[in-house]
Amino acid sequence: MIHTDLFRYARVHRAVAILVGTGAVALLSAFFGGVQISLPSIGSGGVTTGVPFRRELPVLSAVFLVAALGGAMSTHEEMGASAMHRYRRNYCVALTLTVCVFSFAVEALAVDVEAGVVFVRSLLIWFGLALLSVQLLGIQLSWALPLASAFLLIWYPQEWWDWTSNSFTDLFSWAVTAMVLSVGTAATMATPWRRKTWSRR
């Protein structure tokens, strides 16, 4: 693959805007991540509950990343040949790795390495949910499933499944990461062109 072609593809598919947006989220977490968000607690007579700002910020980065799949030609690209799908895959992988590395570095410097790993883990889980949301609801509603899961984590927290607060060594959270990313990636790969190919076999 010619690198200049990939850069051209990235320029057309909002790479700069996505990197600026996700970079701003990482810096926002670094400077204001410790601020407690006051939210009403369900069934507690108006008592508010505090949630650290940085726990929910990765959902924004995940939704920004999924914007790479959009664009005026996105439907036609899904029907493209294998070369187009390679460009698309390589671009998304490179963009996601860049965002994860930058987010980890900023969070690790601002707090510690564990916070950086947890931030990236949350980002990847919400990215997988955003990919699935795109396939189920469309690119305009890529935020729907990630936001719904964020609300569940905020108002129905459980220590065993809250990946935003569990330790960076928590195996269950990493299993969720692998599962959600796999499902989201598989849903993205099941383009109309591929589904037609599979149905003929």
Side-chain angles (χ1 to χ4, degrees), residues 39-102:
L39 297 166
S41 180
I42 295 175
S44 58
V47 176
T48 58
T49 181
V51 178
F53 198 33
R54 67 171 28 93
R55 285 192 190 177
E56 315 310 324
L57 279 174
V59 73
L60 296 176
S61 293
V63 173
F64 287 151
L65 272 175
V66 171
L69 300 176
M73 299 293 290
S74 59
T75 302
H76 296 286
E77 289 174 359
E78 287 186 352
M79 300 296 291
S82 57
M84 175 59 70
H85 288 290
R86 280 198 302 272
Y87 275 105
R88 194 173 187 231
R89 181 194 64 220
N90 292 343
Y91 167 60
C92 289
V93 169
L95 191 64
T96 302
L97 287 176
T98 301
V99 170
C100 286
V101 169
F102 182 78

Side-chain angles (χ1 to χ4, degrees), residues 1-175:
M1 180 181 295
I2 302 174
H3 292 295
T4 55
D5 291 340
L6 185 58
F7 284 126
R8 191 179 298 115
Y9 183 92
R11 186 172 65 249
V12 173
H13 289 79
R14 309 167 180 164
V16 173
I18 292 169
L19 290 174
V20 169
T22 53
V25 171
L27 293 173
L28 191 63
S29 179
F31 287 106
F32 304 105
V35 175
Q36 297 279 325
I37 306 173
S38 294
L39 297 166
S41 180
I42 295 175
S44 58
V47 176
T48 58
T49 181
V51 178
F53 198 33
R54 67 171 28 93
R55 285 192 190 177
E56 315 310 324
L57 279 174
V59 73
L60 296 176
S61 293
V63 173
F64 287 151
L65 272 175
V66 171
L69 300 176
M73 299 293 290
S74 59
T75 302
H76 296 286
E77 289 174 359
E78 287 186 352
M79 300 296 291
S82 57
M84 175 59 70
H85 288 290
R86 280 198 302 272
Y87 275 105
R88 194 173 187 231
R89 181 194 64 220
N90 292 343
Y91 167 60
C92 289
V93 169
L95 191 64
T96 302
L97 287 176
T98 301
V99 170
C100 286
V101 169
F102 182 78
S103 299
F104 167 78
V106 172
E107 195 72 1
L109 288 172
V111 187
D112 55 33
V113 171
E114 179 172 352
V117 174
V118 171
F119 190 98
V120 169
R121 184 179 66 196
S122 297
L123 192 161
L124 292 175
I125 290 176
W126 275 317
F127 179 54
L129 288 175
L131 289 174
L132 185 58
S133 190
V134 167
Q135 299 307 312
L136 294 176
L137 306 172
I139 191 69
Q140 299 298 327
L141 292 174
S142 61
W143 50 267
L145 291 181
L147 191 60
S149 67
F151 284 147
L152 287 174
L153 293 178
I154 291 171
W155 279 304
Y156 298 99
Q158 299 290 333
E159 291 183 1
W160 61 273
W161 75 288
D162 186 357
W163 61 77
T164 66
S165 61
N166 285 342
S167 168
F168 73 114
T169 58
D170 182 62
L171 295 179
F172 179 79
S173 296
W174 284 111

